Amino acid sequence: MQTIAKGSVVSGTSKNMEMKLTNVARTSLEELRRDYEDFLRQRGLPLWPRDDPRRQLQGTGLWRVRSF
């Protein structure tokens, strides 16, 4: 996210630089996703499907309270 923000700041002077930084951010996010999936796999933890309702509760603290 910081790379995208930097790209937006730079955008006033160079659209080319903004595109480069945005692409770097996208690549970094993809690498993070793969690392997270490896983390789950190594620990035998499930990867929740996109439509799993627990994903909507992630970050709210409520997923610990609700049972599915």
Side-chain angles (χ1 to χ4, degrees):
M1 295 306 283
Q2 290 177 343
T3 306
I4 293 172
K6 288 178 186 176
S8 295
V9 170
V10 173
S11 68
T13 56
S14 170
K15 289 291 181 187
N16 189 33
M17 181 59 79
E18 180 180 4
M19 289 302 297
K20 286 180 183 179
L21 290 172
T22 301
N23 287 333
V24 168
R26 284 187 184 134
T27 302
S28 297
L29 187 57
E30 178 63 22
E31 288 176 14
L32 178 61
R33 184 189 62 79
R34 282 192 232 128
D35 288 345
Y36 181 64
E37 288 175 359
D38 286 341
F39 172 86
L40 293 174
R41 215 176 352 266
Q42 290 170 4
R43 287 160 179 76
L45 299 170
L47 177 63
W48 297 340
R50 282 193 179 272
D51 59 346
D52 192 307
R54 291 174 292 186
R55 290 183 78 161
Q56 300 302 316
L57 298 174
Q58 233 173 348
T60 65
L62 296 176
W63 67 272
R64 293 184 191 116
V65 177
R66 292 185 63 178
S67 60
F68 291 90

